[in-house]
Amino acid sequence: MNQLILNFPDIPPGFDTFLGQGNGELLQVLRRQREPFVYVWGAAGAGKSHLLRAWAAQAQATGQAARYLDAATEPLRELPPAGCRLALDQIEQLDAEGQAVLFNLCNRIRQSGEGALLIGANVPPPRLAVREDLRTRMGYCLVYEIKPLSDEEKLAALQAAAQARQLNVSSDIFRYLLHHWSRDIGSLMAMLDALDRYSLSQHRPITVPLLKRLLQQDSP
């Protein structure tokens, strides 16, 4: 069998494309961009990166200096320009040098009143594995846990995505997927993309048996 390759859909990083109804207050805070320090946390797949990118993109669209940085793939080695709005993803991945830079950035923003910091993490601030003085600085932040999508919201999102592709997919197929695949919305959307391509390659309609065959293939 062909190896199952998942291509995660390229969802534009906007607040309007962030799914779910349980994070309304957080979205309002991020849209207003008035808070100098905001900390969002949640499990992998909760949508942290989407929100951080949307926040930086909105600031850039209004002419403000803004930057998105993922600490897992790009080290933080120097302070951004004064007044810059920094969206820092996966803070727990910062090395010692990056933690020192972030500590200084927190102090500069607090003292000057210029710029802003939006932090993404997988745990709340008290459980953050960083140097103690930096963890203390996280006390400056408004802290929000990203509420996960309900199963019904996930099903609705999958149905909407299928309709946008002009795919006829029954809700039974998506319910089966929820119980036999990764439950975060990114993985579910990626599987819908894989299922669409697999059905075309097999010249078969999308059914539960076809989905089962796809899930039985080895994932990379």
Side-chain angles (χ1 to χ4, degrees):
M1 288 186 177
N2 293 329
Q3 188 180 50
L4 170 59
I5 302 296
L6 294 183
N7 293 321
F8 284 81
D10 185 15
I11 301 175
F15 294 125
D16 291 339
T17 53
F18 186 76
L19 303 172
Q21 303 299 315
N23 299 287
E25 180 181 339
L26 170 58
L27 288 174
Q28 289 182 0
V29 167
L30 296 182
R31 285 180 186 274
R32 288 198 301 263
Q33 299 212 355
R34 295 175 184 170
E35 297 295 334
F37 298 97
V38 180
Y39 183 111
V40 298
W41 67 277
K48 300 184 295 294
S49 298
H50 184 102
L51 287 180
L52 267 67
R53 290 180 183 276
W55 182 81
Q58 178 179 271
Q60 292 169 350
T62 59
Q64 301 179 78
R67 179 187 178 193
Y68 169 85
L69 187 149
D70 186 345
T73 59
E74 184 178 1
L76 180 62
R77 290 290 178 259
E78 58 185 13
L79 287 169
C84 181
R85 309 180 74 84
L86 177 64
L88 178 62
D89 209 351
Q90 301 196 71
I91 182 179
E92 61 275 356
Q93 298 295 328
L94 286 176
D95 59 15
E97 183 178 354
Q99 291 180 36
V101 173
L102 181 59
F103 176 83
N104 292 331
L105 177 60
C106 290
N107 290 341
R108 189 180 75 180
I109 293 174
R110 187 170 175 85
Q111 293 167 5
S112 69
E114 298 180 351
L117 183 62
L118 174 61
I119 290 173
N122 58 8
V123 294
R127 293 170 51 196
L128 198 58
V130 296
R131 49 189 260 189
E132 180 61 30
D133 56 359
L134 179 57
R135 186 164 51 248
T136 300
R137 290 297 183 273
M138 295 302 98
Y140 295 162
C141 299
L142 279 179
V143 178
Y144 289 92
E145 178 184 6
I146 297 181
K147 302 297 189 296
L149 294 177
S150 68
D151 282 357
E152 292 306 311
E153 286 175 326
K154 292 174 183 177
L155 289 171
L158 287 166
Q159 285 287 8
Q163 290 172 6
R165 295 166 176 257
Q166 299 184 330
L167 296 177
N168 183 20
V169 184
S170 76
S171 59
D172 290 343
I173 292 172
F174 291 137
R175 291 186 185 279
Y176 183 90
L177 188 59
L178 275 175
H179 290 91
H180 296 85
W181 185 246
S182 300
R183 294 175 57 82
D184 67 273
I185 192 63
S187 296
L188 291 167
M189 289 292 186
M191 179 53 73
L192 174 60
D193 179 65
L195 185 57
D196 181 18
R197 289 183 282 110
Y198 187 62
S199 69
L200 290 173
S201 70
Q202 298 297 306
H203 305 289
R204 294 179 179 274
I206 295 176
T207 61
V208 171
L210 187 76
L211 173 59
K212 289 180 178 180
R213 286 177 56 188
L214 180 60
L215 293 177
Q216 289 170 357
Q217 297 189 45
D218 291 332
S219 297

